[in-house]
Amino acid sequence: MTLQGGAIIVRVVLLGTAADGGFPQWNCACALCAAARDGKLPARTQDCVAVTGNARDWWLLNASPDIRSQLTATPALRPGPGPRDSPVRGVLLTDAEPDHVAGLTVLRGVAGLKVYAPSPALAALTPARLVLDRYAPWEWGDSLAEGGFVLAGGLVVTAHPVGAKAPGYVPPRPSDDRWVTAYRIEDLAGGGALVYAPRVAAWTDTLDDLLTSADCALLDGTFFTADGTATKGHLPVSGPRGSLDALARHPGVRRIYTHLDNTNPLLDADSKARAQVNGAGVEVLMDGAEFVV
């Protein structure tokens, strides 16, 4: 998409906004999941985002297990003009968690896709990469390479470490703070910048620096309170050390919570939690929401 005069801007589609398992979660009978099954709350698919700088070349931020239905539901991502042509050029992985990488298997067989991930994630995905490349060869790149990288469509990307928690399937090994990353995506012409950080273990100076230079941020809203988050690698929204207080330092940035756990009261638009977040100027959007940066 372009502005008048031909300036490129970043176009963003929230393909999914729920944490692993989606909403309602298949094996959960909590009040929120029950309300979703009864049609009282809208269902959500697992977190995934699509971005483009020219409305032709699209890039996925993570590849959720729900990617097939997400692509099918998004007109801009439908195949064509040829029978096997797709506007999807590749995937930017923030980490190697199953709910962020499982969708790669759905994309198999499309030659030439580019997949970027932090180096520990690339190493953990080696068995899957060997399988996927047997269907069609892909290009695999280290997202933390010095200087960042440029995507088709006029987007320049840098990755920034924000967490050291390895996926549960990875054997114990020395700590590595590059396991989880945030992405900063900027258009080369207009300068609009998006930050994508769906998994944040703790608020750091790195995140403050990223938001200082951003126009919009999609941030980890997995858990509203600190209950149970210590071992899951997610900073809660509320509380004296929660992300909502940190976001108050960046009132000029459009701030949006995503990656919502099925127990999170933010899923209910009429909840006190949603009122608190909205009152602080932070948004919670639905699957399919589209905007420009």
Side-chain angles (χ1 to χ4, degrees):
M1 181 178 288
T2 58
L3 294 170
Q4 290 184 354
I8 298 174
I9 58 176
V10 184
R11 180 178 170 189
V12 183
V13 180
L14 304 187
L15 301 179
T17 54
D20 61 304
F23 179 68
Q25 187 168 297
W26 71 274
N27 62 342
C28 182
C30 73
L32 287 169
C33 285
R37 290 190 182 94
D38 291 340
K40 298 175 182 177
L41 293 177
R44 296 171 183 261
T45 59
Q46 294 168 88
D47 186 84
C48 188
V49 178
V51 297
T52 183
N54 62 3
R56 296 187 305 275
D57 301 295
W58 287 86
W59 297 85
L60 303 178
L61 309 183
N62 287 333
S64 88
D66 300 316
I67 193 64
R68 178 193 172 278
S69 63
Q70 292 169 339
L71 294 175
T72 301
T74 306
L77 299 177
R78 292 175 183 172
R84 289 287 184 175
D85 293 337
S86 171
V88 175
R89 303 292 179 245
V91 185
L92 281 59
L93 301 174
T94 57
D95 50 63
E97 289 293 338
D99 57 309
H100 295 165
V101 305
L104 294 176
T105 63
V106 178
L107 304 176
R108 69 186 185 280
V110 178
L113 285 185
K114 297 182 178 180
V115 182
Y116 294 91
S119 51
L122 287 175
L125 292 172
T126 296
R129 290 167 55 188
L130 294 173
V131 171
L132 292 168
D133 283 344
R134 290 294 297 271
Y135 287 91
W138 288 358
E139 297 181 36
W140 301 84
D142 183 354
S143 60
L144 290 169
E146 186 175 356
F149 49 97
V150 178
L151 303 177
L155 302 177
V156 60
V157 181
T158 53
H160 305 266
V162 293
K165 186 176 182 298
Y169 62 83
V170 174
R173 61 185 61 192
S175 179
D176 190 330
D177 64 4
R178 301 170 300 162
W179 269 110
V180 184
T181 58
Y183 284 108
R184 184 182 186 277
I185 302 166
E186 181 178 2
D187 73 83
L188 292 172
L194 171 74
V195 170
Y196 178 62
R199 187 171 174 220
V200 173
W203 198 269
T204 63
D205 290 343
T206 295
L207 288 168
D208 274 321
D209 290 344
L210 286 173
L211 265 67
T212 296
S213 63
D215 298 286
C216 179
L218 295 170
L219 297 162
D220 187 345
T222 307
F223 298 106
F224 189 72
T225 63
D227 298 341
T229 65
T231 60
K232 295 184 178 180
H234 293 280
L235 178 69
V237 169
S238 63
R241 296 184 179 179
S243 60
L244 192 61
D245 277 359
L247 290 177
R249 298 193 290 269
H250 304 278
V253 180
R254 185 176 185 185
R255 298 152 296 173
I256 302 167
Y257 279 127
T258 188
H259 203 272
L260 306 175
D261 186 73
N262 63 288
T263 62
N264 193 328
L266 290 179
L267 293 164
D268 184 351
D270 295 325
S271 67
K272 292 181 180 179
R274 183 76 77 90
Q276 179 183 349
V277 165
N278 289 347
V282 183
E283 300 173 75
V284 176
L285 302 180
M286 278 302 306
D287 289 15
E290 183 174 338
F291 54 89
V292 296
V293 178

